[in-house]
Amino acid sequence: ISPDLAYYHGLGLSLMHQERYDQALESLQKALQAYEDSGDNSGRAAVLSSLAAIDMKKGEPGAALVKMEKIAAIMEQLGDLPGQARALQETARLELMTSNFDSSRQKLERSLELLQSSGDGRGAAFALFNLASLDLERSDFQNAAAEYARALPLFKEMGDRAGVAAIMHSQGLIQAQAGEKETAMNSFKEAFAINQELGDRAAEAGSFFQLGALAVQQDRMAEGLRLM
């Protein structure tokens, strides 16, 4: 990296962390132009990522989305499968903010394929979890259940207890919706126990509330009200 490129890029990052966004944009735009002139695509992607972060800080997800799509294209051109997958996941997240579920799902599916192809098991597990969570959000319970079932052993293998708890809680929601109340109770109890062990009070409270709601539905009013 030439001194000028390093200077403008580093200055832009420093100003961004100081929340001096207008000045950061000026420096980062200079760095972006210099990277483009020199044909440094990796540098372009790095600067575009910083610019997208500023867009989000300023409440402009649409502008951030355009930049993330450019990053995904650059990563594909470079043959960087994990980098392309990460960019696609971030693009999918931004599209969810505008309820563009179909396009978001397509990007998550592509991200999962790329991570599996590159042998990134951990990344693939999280991509699968995100895909399942999207399907749950759009009430596609059948696909969500299948994806969570695939993700659960991966999170257990990684030793990610928080991830296991999140999946168990989500499975409980799907099971409750299907009328499988006892199975759902067991899922929420397992999620509750893990979150209690981890000290995650917010997640613990969420499973506790669902246990109460199910108890009320089963005419166990006193127990349900105590839990809720």
Side-chain angles (χ1 to χ4, degrees), residues 82-98:
Q84 184 186 355
R86 287 192 295 271
L88 287 171
Q89 287 192 54
E90 183 61 20
T91 302
R93 186 183 71 83
L94 291 168
E95 287 184 330
L96 276 179
M97 297 177 71
T98 58

Side-chain angles (χ1 to χ4, degrees), residues 62-137:
L65 176 60
V66 171
K67 294 177 179 66
M68 291 309 305
E69 288 175 334
K70 289 180 180 179
I71 293 171
I74 291 171
M75 293 296 103
E76 182 176 16
Q77 182 180 352
L78 292 173
D80 183 343
L81 299 186
Q84 184 186 355
R86 287 192 295 271
L88 287 171
Q89 287 192 54
E90 183 61 20
T91 302
R93 186 183 71 83
L94 291 168
E95 287 184 330
L96 276 179
M97 297 177 71
T98 58
S99 299
N100 193 349
F101 292 115
D102 291 338
S103 180
S104 180
R105 193 178 197 286
Q106 289 172 5
K107 289 181 173 61
L108 286 174
E109 285 182 320
R110 179 58 179 153
S111 172
L112 176 59
E113 292 172 0
L114 291 168
L115 290 165
Q116 289 173 330
S117 297
S118 64
D120 185 348
R122 182 176 180 83
F126 281 99
L128 192 55
F129 177 85
N130 290 335
L131 189 58
S133 299
L134 170 59
D135 283 332
L136 180 59
E137 177 71 19

Side-chain angles (χ1 to χ4, degrees), residues 10-217:
L11 178 61
L13 290 173
S14 177
L15 292 167
M16 182 177 73
H17 292 312
Q18 296 173 46
E19 299 185 357
R20 296 161 63 183
Y21 297 129
D22 290 339
Q23 291 167 289
L25 283 171
E26 183 178 350
S27 290
L28 289 171
Q29 289 291 356
K30 288 179 179 178
L32 180 62
Q33 185 61 58
Y35 281 127
E36 289 176 348
D37 291 343
S38 67
D40 185 338
N41 283 330
S42 294
R44 283 181 60 213
V47 175
L48 284 168
S49 180
S50 299
L51 290 170
I54 292 176
D55 289 334
M56 292 303 296
K57 291 287 188 181
K58 296 173 69 176
E60 300 173 359
L65 176 60
V66 171
K67 294 177 179 66
M68 291 309 305
E69 288 175 334
K70 289 180 180 179
I71 293 171
I74 291 171
M75 293 296 103
E76 182 176 16
Q77 182 180 352
L78 292 173
D80 183 343
L81 299 186
Q84 184 186 355
R86 287 192 295 271
L88 287 171
Q89 287 192 54
E90 183 61 20
T91 302
R93 186 183 71 83
L94 291 168
E95 287 184 330
L96 276 179
M97 297 177 71
T98 58
S99 299
N100 193 349
F101 292 115
D102 291 338
S103 180
S104 180
R105 193 178 197 286
Q106 289 172 5
K107 289 181 173 61
L108 286 174
E109 285 182 320
R110 179 58 179 153
S111 172
L112 176 59
E113 292 172 0
L114 291 168
L115 290 165
Q116 289 173 330
S117 297
S118 64
D120 185 348
R122 182 176 180 83
F126 281 99
L128 192 55
F129 177 85
N130 290 335
L131 189 58
S133 299
L134 170 59
D135 283 332
L136 180 59
E137 177 71 19
R138 69 208 297 249
S139 299
D140 185 349
F141 300 115
Q142 184 175 354
N143 273 327
E147 289 148 1
Y148 281 129
R150 288 170 57 197
L152 183 58
L154 300 177
F155 277 84
K156 287 182 176 179
E157 184 178 338
M158 292 189 298
D160 189 327
R161 301 278 287 156
V164 170
I167 291 172
M168 295 303 301
H169 182 90
S170 297
Q171 287 182 322
L173 294 174
I174 295 169
Q175 291 153 356
Q177 190 277 336
E180 302 169 2
K181 292 184 173 56
E182 286 300 328
T183 306
M185 289 281 283
N186 291 333
S187 294
F188 288 131
K189 285 178 181 177
E190 187 168 346
F192 173 80
I194 295 172
N195 286 319
Q196 189 174 47
E197 178 186 330
L198 295 174
D200 187 339
R201 300 306 176 214
E204 179 185 333
S207 295
F208 199 64
F209 177 85
Q210 292 298 333
L211 284 167
L214 280 172
V216 169
Q217 291 175 27

